[in-house]
Structure formats: C-alpha cells, structure tokens
Amino acid sequence: KQDSVANRRLAMARTGDKEVVGKLFNELGPRYEARPGGYIRILKCGFRSGDNAPMAYVELVDRPVTAEVEEAEEVAAE
C-alpha cells in the first residue's frame, strides 16, 4: 500500500515484470489504499480435465467497469 523503494524491490523480486510493478503501485495501490483487506474474490469453477486439479477464477474486488460491459448490461436490460 505504501510506495517505497523497498516495497517496489520486493514486488519486482516476486513478479519479475517492471510493467506489473508500475501498475501495482501507480493504479492499484491508490485504489485499495483505504480498504482494510479483501482485495480479491475467488470463485471455484470445478476441476480440470486430465489431472482433476481444482480450478478457480480470481478477480479484483471493486474493479472499474469497462465500456463493453456497460453496453452488454444495457442490451440485456432491454
């Protein structure tokens, strides 16, 4: 949540991608600054065929709605 050199280095060590670290600290950090926890939603979606491994969808809570989603919701409402 705090933008510091040490935190950026930790994030870089774990992700290995400079663009991801930049987005994390420039866009996502300020969005979730006041939130005490619960940043993601995990939805179980069954098991993978082949090795029967459990699978899940992971999404960020309070994510911005895109224009495509808004248009789809308007069409569905009509």
Side-chain angles (χ1 to χ4, degrees):
K1 288 186 177 183
Q2 295 180 359
D3 190 5
S4 67
V5 175
N7 288 339
R8 281 184 179 264
R9 286 182 179 165
L10 264 173
M12 185 64 186
R14 293 188 179 159
T15 62
D17 191 353
K18 191 174 183 177
E19 291 179 17
V20 171
V21 173
K23 182 173 183 171
L24 178 66
F25 284 95
N26 295 332
E27 294 178 27
L28 299 176
R31 186 185 320 165
Y32 294 105
E33 188 172 21
R35 192 175 186 92
Y39 308 109
I40 61 172
R41 178 180 298 122
I42 301 172
L43 303 169
K44 295 181 181 180
C45 63
F47 297 94
R48 182 169 52 203
S49 61
D51 62 356
N52 210 25
M55 295 180 48
Y57 294 108
V58 179
E59 63 181 9
L60 292 172
V61 178
D62 297 336
R63 63 186 175 157
V65 179
T66 62
E68 295 174 2
V69 173
E70 289 177 354
E71 289 176 8
E73 289 175 352
E74 289 176 6
V75 171
E78 295 175 356

